[in-house]
Amino acid sequence: MKSALRLAVVLLALVLAGTLMAAILELPGANQSLPAAVAAHMAVSGVEHPVTAVLLNFRGYDTLLEVAVLLLALLGIGAAVHAGSETEDGGAEGDPVLAALARLLTPLLILAAGYLLWAGAHRPGGAFQAAAVLAGAAVLLHLSGQMPAWSSPGLLLRLGLAGGLLIFLALAAGLLGQGALLRYPPEYAGALILLIEASLTISLGLILAGLFLMLAGRRGGA
Amino acid sequence: MTSGLVFALAGVLLFVLGLGGVVMLSHALRRILAFNLMGSGAFLVLVGLAQRDGGVDPVPQAMVLTGIVVAVAATALALALVRRLHGAHRDD
């Protein structure tokens, strides 16, 4: 009975794969060229890299909502973790080689994050990549026993977590006078995007690190 | 057949593989992994389809970048819930 069920699922999956592939092969070409539209507006975007221009200028509201979703996920994790019983854990006792390596690597990782943030304006890079590197540094520090898990974030940490979204929201509200959500005046676009990216880097780095460090607070799940 | 189209077709395979996993696997952790596989397949379809004519399209790339970050957050939330569930079961 069970193997028959499995066979049925596999057969259905194969049919679905065939159908989807046929649909992709049949798909007509796009009737308007988005790359051309992006290229035509690069001059007013304030940055030189098309992906960054799309992320933070042409479709900035997507990024705004994305940061909100990330913060929401972190709040959810905080709720799920806090609802359980509390056992404090001040980080693992690390081995000394790992601890020394983490101490060496952390400044370099912060430097790399700064470079990625700056590079986002004209080549692949940007706030999310920089934030991922920062979060990696925080996780490394925790794993080597030099940073405690976040059992209950203090006011400063909370401000840091929410700051990126708040600055982004404040800018979006302040720019509503331009007639559309997150339409930057072209002469300030570069500076505004850099401000948003810098604040997002710090907040997203903290949030991504929090996704790990809030879960790491209590070993074994109980 | 351009390389973009090959990516899109591979994305379909990944998506269906993940879907099969979500349906058939019983362990929650494996289901989360399978669900992530579905997401990766969808991202590959988006990026692959957009560059099947050879050119690179920054719009789907930015959307997929957004999607990847959201997927990370959703996975972390799912893991937190699974851990909580696991702990609740063990307390019984």
Side-chain angles (χ1 to χ4, degrees):
Chain A
M1 181 60 206
K2 195 152 187 207
S3 65
L5 207 61
R6 287 178 79 91
L7 194 67
V9 171
V10 170
L11 278 179
L12 277 177
L14 284 178
V15 171
L16 179 64
T19 315
L20 286 175
M21 283 184 171
I24 281 182
L25 290 172
E26 285 289 309
L27 214 60
N31 56 6
Q32 55 173 341
S33 171
L34 281 177
V38 170
H41 292 90
M42 280 309 288
V44 295
S45 71
V47 290
E48 287 159 37
H49 193 255
V51 174
T52 308
V54 172
L55 265 181
L56 284 155
N57 198 333
F58 306 146
R59 308 231 1 149
Y61 44 90
D62 276 334
T63 308
L64 178 65
L65 288 176
E66 171 191 13
V67 181
V69 167
L70 272 173
L71 201 58
L72 205 60
L74 191 74
L75 289 180
I77 289 178
V81 168
H82 274 284
S85 57
E86 290 284 334
T87 49
E88 286 297 323
D89 181 358
E93 279 300 313
D95 102 63
V97 178
L98 184 61
L101 183 69
R103 253 185 245 121
L104 270 177
L105 278 181
T106 303
L108 291 178
L109 285 173
I110 292 174
L111 190 68
Y115 168 73
L116 279 173
L117 170 64
W118 184 250
H122 48 87
R123 61 179 67 195
F128 293 99
Q129 292 85 336
V133 172
L134 278 185
V139 170
L140 186 66
L141 278 180
H142 173 71
L143 289 180
S144 63
Q146 295 173 82
M147 191 155 98
W150 299 348
S151 47
S152 53
L155 181 65
L156 203 60
L157 185 52
R158 280 166 204 254
L159 274 181
L161 288 169
L165 180 63
L166 291 179
I167 290 178
F168 207 161
L169 268 180
L171 267 175
L175 290 172
L176 273 181
Q178 297 285 319
L181 188 60
L182 285 172
R183 175 185 291 167
Y184 312 115
E187 60 270 34
Y188 300 119
L192 287 176
I193 288 179
L194 189 63
L195 172 68
I196 292 174
E197 285 224 85
S199 55
L200 280 189
T201 300
I202 295 174
S203 276
L204 285 174
L206 287 174
I207 291 174
L208 289 176
L211 295 180
F212 186 93
L213 290 175
M214 283 177 103
L215 274 175
R218 292 169 308 112
R219 316 243 146 180
Chain B
M1 183 176 276
T2 60
S3 62
L5 206 52
V6 176
F7 286 141
L9 294 179
V12 166
L13 278 183
L14 278 181
F15 179 84
V16 173
L17 209 59
L19 187 65
V22 169
V23 173
M24 288 207 283
L25 297 171
S26 57
H27 196 290
L29 198 59
R30 292 181 185 211
R31 278 194 160 171
I32 293 175
L33 286 178
F35 201 72
N36 265 293
L37 203 57
M38 280 175 73
S40 303
F43 295 151
L44 208 50
V45 170
L46 277 175
V47 173
L49 267 187
Q51 57 189 45
R52 68 191 147 150
D53 303 325
V56 174
D57 189 342
V59 178
Q61 290 204 3
M63 296 300 104
V64 166
L65 188 59
T66 306
I68 289 173
V69 178
V70 171
V72 168
T75 306
L77 182 58
L79 288 176
L81 291 176
V82 164
R83 237 177 85 152
R84 183 103 173 81
L85 197 67
H86 188 64
H89 277 306
R90 209 169 42 181
D91 288 342
D92 290 340

